[in-house]
Amino acid sequence: MIDIVYIEKEALNLPFTENTVKKLPGAAKVLIDRWEDVFYRKKQDYGLQKKNRKLIIGINRGSFVMEGSENCQSAGAEDFYYCSFAKNCIGGCDYCYLQGMMRSGYLLAFANMDDCFAEAEKVLDKGKKTLLAVSYDNDIYALDGLFGYVKMWSDFANRERRENLTVEVRTKCGTKAFIDRADSASGTLVFTWSVSSPENIKRFEPCTSPLAARLDAAEYALDKGFRVRLALDPVIAIGKGWKEGYEKLCDEIAGRGIGGRLDAVMLGGFRIPADYLKIMRRNAPESPIAFDSYEIKGGTACYPEEKEAQVTGFIGSILKDRAGVPQERLFMYGRER
Ligand code: SF4
């Protein structure tokens, strides 16, 4: 429940702000000069702020579009960008990199989306096969009831209608209603459901939808004509039962008969920038994920090569053999670039 909305003065009369604030009638409104004054305040407690959510609405005067990290998969795209116009998430996943990256746990949403779309258009003018990920610092799908970003990106995709473009909305939310706000006509918008074993979801992703709801939504989107992807990424291979857990997940995908209809399936072991892992260990001294064994490669903490190969090899073969995911649509971290 959001009880305070901090609103940057310059954003106050923009349609995004008015629409969002209308949906929070019980929240106190506090006018601020700049969003940075609240978001980058010193001595903030990320964990506490995550439990006691406030919203900041601001104007982004810097870049919206950034080059995608080598740690993320681009599913065969030549160019990979991500677009950041909302920060922080209600998912509360134990392993989320945001807790190492963000100074504040408050939700931050930018209201000047026209500037964001203009910047994205410039990047796309290069004409290469491009992935534009639009939900990396926030699960915008899960918050679509508040912000309405999914419809905006659907409109962008339909305006652009470029064959070389994929606009990806990634989520762990199983609500189907948000799919109905989007339009599949361009073939450019892709919904990716991030999935894990039922045990991992229960244990490490406490504020997200159950597996069945996510797959129900994925099936619904397929039936509505959308390109749909699944991300078994990050795989959390912890404890003796991890293989059985992922077998259950793959069998659930197989049982629905959707393996051959998926646009892509991304697979990769847990990894995180080494600096963020240090913060994660400080903030969560009991976390089995934070204190698992990793090796540091190029500044990234990841599973040792042998374990990564075991994880992706094991799950990849079940996805192909039992769930019918074609080899060419299966993308494994570390083997793509
Ligand atoms: S859903 Fe994604 S962005 Fe949100 S908390 Fe979980 S890992 Fe982080």
Side-chain angles (χ1 to χ4, degrees):
M1 191 61 166
I2 292 167
D3 59 352
I4 297 182
V5 189
Y6 295 98
I7 307 168
E8 198 178 305
K9 285 176 190 157
E10 212 177 299
L12 186 62
N13 296 318
L14 293 181
F16 174 87
T17 310
E18 288 173 355
N19 289 335
T20 304
V21 166
K22 233 189 281 170
K23 293 172 196 154
L24 297 166
K29 321 298 179 279
V30 179
L31 275 189
I32 53 175
D33 287 329
R34 292 283 171 118
W35 62 269
E36 292 95 331
D37 299 341
V38 180
F39 197 74
Y40 290 127
R41 244 181 343 211
K42 285 185 183 152
K43 294 192 181 162
Q44 300 190 75
D45 185 330
Y46 185 92
L48 201 67
Q49 290 177 331
K50 236 172 66 173
K51 289 183 198 136
N52 181 19
R53 292 279 187 207
K54 322 273 184 226
L55 168 65
I56 307 166
I57 300 179
I59 299 287
N60 184 9
R61 296 171 183 83
S63 293
F64 281 98
V65 184
M66 264 78 61
E67 276 194 30
S69 154
E70 287 285 322
N71 286 334
C72 303
Q73 298 197 68
S74 61
E78 295 165 282
D79 273 353
F80 170 28
Y81 297 96
Y82 76 95
C83 196
S84 184
F85 46 89
K87 296 180 194 294
N88 282 327
C89 177
I90 53 169
C93 305
D94 280 13
Y95 53 82
C96 184
Y97 69 97
L98 293 174
Q99 59 195 307
M101 182 178 165
M102 298 293 166
R103 181 89 66 83
S104 169
Y106 292 165
L107 294 170
L108 169 64
F110 291 127
N112 53 326
M113 287 302 286
D114 287 347
D115 296 338
C116 177
F117 294 128
E119 194 181 327
E121 272 165 27
K122 270 189 211 156
V123 165
L124 302 176
D125 278 345
K126 289 182 188 168
K128 286 190 186 166
K129 190 176 176 192
T130 303
L131 172 66
L132 182 65
V134 298
S135 50
Y136 265 41
D137 294 339
N138 176 298
D139 188 334
I140 58 162
Y141 184 93
L143 282 166
D144 204 53
L146 183 60
F147 298 138
Y149 285 129
V150 171
K151 166 89 171 84
M152 292 183 216
W153 282 104
S154 171
D155 290 347
F156 174 86
N158 281 315
R159 262 196 325 271
E160 293 297 311
R161 283 187 182 252
R162 301 180 192 212
E163 269 180 31
N164 60 345
L165 172 65
T166 294
V167 175
E168 184 200 52
V169 174
R170 189 177 288 211
T171 184
K172 291 191 176 96
C173 172
T175 304
K176 290 181 195 160
F178 301 150
I179 297 161
D180 292 329
R181 299 176 181 198
D183 181 347
S184 64
S186 68
T188 300
L189 187 70
V190 162
F191 287 113
T192 299
W193 271 272
S194 182
V195 290
S196 192
S197 68
E199 291 77 10
N200 280 354
I201 290 176
K202 220 168 167 183
R203 194 170 170 201
F204 302 123
E205 302 174 357
C207 309
T208 62
S209 298
L211 175 63
R214 295 184 208 179
L215 293 176
D216 283 349
E219 263 192 275
Y220 183 73
L222 281 167
D223 292 343
K224 288 266 169 181
F226 285 100
R227 288 163 63 200
V228 170
R229 297 176 172 182
L230 293 182
L232 283 72
D233 189 359
V235 171
I236 309 288
I238 280 184
K240 283 189 192 138
W242 74 263
K243 282 189 173 176
E244 287 77 8
Y246 278 91
E247 273 188 282
K248 274 189 225 162
L249 163 63
C250 297
D251 286 341
E252 182 72 27
I253 298 167
R256 291 166 182 262
I258 56 172
R261 298 170 69 197
L262 296 168
D263 186 72
V265 177
M266 283 78 74
L267 183 56
F270 178 77
R271 57 205 177 274
I272 189 167
D275 291 349
Y276 296 177
L277 182 65
K278 274 189 210 154
I279 299 172
M280 199 174 155
R281 285 183 169 166
R282 205 167 53 226
N283 290 343
E286 309 280 318
S287 163
I289 300 176
F291 288 90
D292 202 3
S293 302
Y294 301 105
E295 66 182 30
I296 310 294
K297 266 197 227 158
T300 297
C302 52
Y303 288 153
E305 220 164 281
E306 200 181 322
K307 180 168 175 179
E308 180 71 30
Q310 187 199 15
V311 163
T312 51
F314 173 73
I315 302 173
S317 62
I318 310 179
L319 284 168
K320 277 185 285 178
D321 300 343
R322 290 196 216 165
V325 176
Q327 170 75 49
E328 66 278 11
R329 282 186 240 153
L330 190 57
F331 296 89
M332 299 192 194
Y333 172 65
R335 304 188 197 182
E336 196 188 336
R337 296 183 190 216

